[in-house]
Amino acid sequence: MRIITLNANGIRSAARKGFFDWLPAQDADVVCLQETKCQQDQITEPLYYPAGYHCYYFDAVKKGYSGVAVYSREKPLTVVAGHGSKEFDGEGRYIEARFKNLSVISLYLPSGSSSEERQQAKFRFLAEFMPYLRALKRKRRDYILCGDWNIAHKEIDPKYWRSNQKNSGFLPEERAWMTQLLERDGLVARTGLADGDVILFGADRAKVVNDVLGTLRCRIAAARALIPPGEYRFLWVTDFPLVEYSEEDRRYYALHHPFTAPKN
C-alpha cells in the first residue's frame, strides 16, 4: 500500500498549481490531505473528486479554514469524521477511513502561532488527543496516522532552534508531548521500511542535492530507530527545501519530514 500525506494549504489553490495533474502519476492507494480550506459546496467540480478514488472531505465550520480529506482507491468500510471533540470537531481536523483491520487517518493539529488564545486551544487539543490515541492503541487494529502536527520535535528539526524555543511549534510543552507520543508511550511503531522502499520528501530544486539530503534525513531517522537502516529511493514532489545548512552552526537543519508510507 502506498500512502501520501500532504498539507495542501488550500485545495483550490493546490488545484491551480497542478496538484490534480501531479496526483495520477504518484500511483497512491490512499491520499491524506490537510488544510483543504473549503466547504464541499465550494468544490462541486469533478476535478476535486479524481477518477479512481473515493473522496471524503471533512470541513471546518468556518469558511476558508482548516479541513482534512482522504482519497482512497478502495472504498472504506466506514469513514469517521471527527474524533468526538466538542471543541475541535467543528474545525475539521480529523478524518479516518476504515478498511478491514486497517485505519488511515488524516490529521491537522491546531497552530498556536496567531495568538496566545490559539496556543491555549492547541494545548487543550493535545491534552485531549493523547488519551484518544491511547484508546486507539488498545483496539485490535492497525493505524496509519498521517498529518500536519504543527510541532517540531528535536533541535535538528527547525533551522534556528535556539531562537524558536519560545515560539509556537517548538515550545517545551509541545516537544514534551511529542516525546511522550513517540518515545515513552510506544504509540508509534517502526514503519516496516526496508531497503529499496520509496519515501516521498518535500523537494529542493536540485535533484542531485535531493538524493544527498534524502539519504541524510533517512540516516537521522534510522539513528532514532524510526526506520531500519538501509538504502532508500526518493521521490521529490514539491518545491521547498528539505534541509538547509547553517554556516553559523556548521550543521544541517531539517525543515520537513518524509510524508508518506512506503510502497510495497
Side-chain angles (χ1 to χ4, degrees):
M1 174 179 283
R2 187 177 196 181
I3 301 174
I4 296 173
T5 179
L6 175 71
N7 183 313
N9 194 21
I11 191 65
R12 289 170 292 178
S13 174
R16 291 191 295 271
K17 295 175 182 177
F19 171 73
F20 291 103
D21 296 324
W22 164 82
L23 183 60
Q26 309 316 309
D27 192 28
D29 298 293
V30 182
V31 180
C32 295
L33 300 175
Q34 302 86 43
E35 267 201 296
T36 52
K37 293 184 177 180
C38 66
Q39 269 69 35
Q40 289 188 61
D41 60 9
Q42 297 174 308
I43 52 169
T44 57
E45 298 93 335
L47 175 69
Y48 297 100
Y49 301 86
Y53 288 99
H54 302 276
C55 302
Y56 305 91
Y57 290 87
F58 183 44
D59 311 328
V61 174
K62 180 181 176 182
K63 288 188 175 182
Y65 180 73
S66 191
V68 289
V70 171
Y71 302 164
S72 172
R73 292 196 182 278
E74 179 181 337
K75 186 176 182 179
L77 299 175
T78 308
V79 175
V80 179
H83 66 285
S85 171
K86 293 181 179 179
E87 180 175 4
F88 295 105
D89 279 358
E91 295 185 1
R93 298 193 175 277
Y94 178 103
I95 188 168
E96 175 185 346
R98 293 178 179 173
F99 314 88
K100 296 182 180 179
N101 296 323
L102 172 69
S103 286
V104 180
I105 297 167
S106 182
L107 173 71
Y108 180 48
L109 264 71
S111 170
S113 59
S114 62
S115 68
E116 179 59 26
E117 179 182 359
R118 287 306 300 170
Q119 182 61 45
Q120 292 306 312
K122 183 177 185 179
F123 285 143
R124 291 194 298 274
F125 184 97
L126 298 179
E128 72 173 40
F129 197 59
M130 184 68 79
Y132 181 83
L133 291 175
R134 289 171 179 156
L136 293 186
K137 183 184 177 183
R138 292 192 292 269
K139 297 182 179 181
R140 295 184 176 181
R141 295 184 61 79
D142 292 323
Y143 289 89
I144 297 177
L145 181 58
C146 304
D148 185 339
W149 295 84
N150 270 315
I151 298 173
H153 185 208
K154 299 290 188 177
E155 293 175 359
I156 196 171
D157 293 323
K159 181 176 181 180
Y160 301 111
W161 69 268
R162 290 186 180 89
S163 60
N164 274 298
Q165 293 179 86
K166 295 183 179 180
N167 293 335
S168 177
F170 200 59
L171 295 174
E173 301 94 326
E174 297 169 323
R175 297 173 63 197
W177 188 89
M178 289 295 290
T179 297
Q180 185 74 35
L181 173 73
L182 298 172
E183 299 175 12
R184 295 175 185 167
D185 275 17
L187 292 171
V188 178
R190 293 191 180 189
T191 63
L193 288 168
D195 282 2
D197 282 340
V198 176
I199 299 177
L200 300 192
F201 278 106
D204 195 84
R205 291 170 178 80
K207 181 64 173 69
V208 174
V209 174
N210 284 341
D211 287 338
V212 174
L213 298 184
T215 300
L216 171 65
R217 195 69 184 93
C218 283
R219 286 176 179 172
I220 293 170
R224 297 179 187 169
L226 298 177
I227 63 174
E231 298 297 325
Y232 297 99
R233 294 181 293 122
F234 312 111
L235 181 62
W236 306 90
V237 297
T238 56
D239 194 33
F240 43 75
L242 172 66
V243 299
E244 289 186 0
Y245 184 75
S246 169
E247 294 289 349
E248 179 182 357
D249 295 339
R250 295 189 176 183
R251 61 181 294 189
Y252 287 95
Y253 289 88
L255 302 181
H256 302 277
H257 292 280
F259 54 77
T260 191
K263 181 180 181 180
N264 55 23

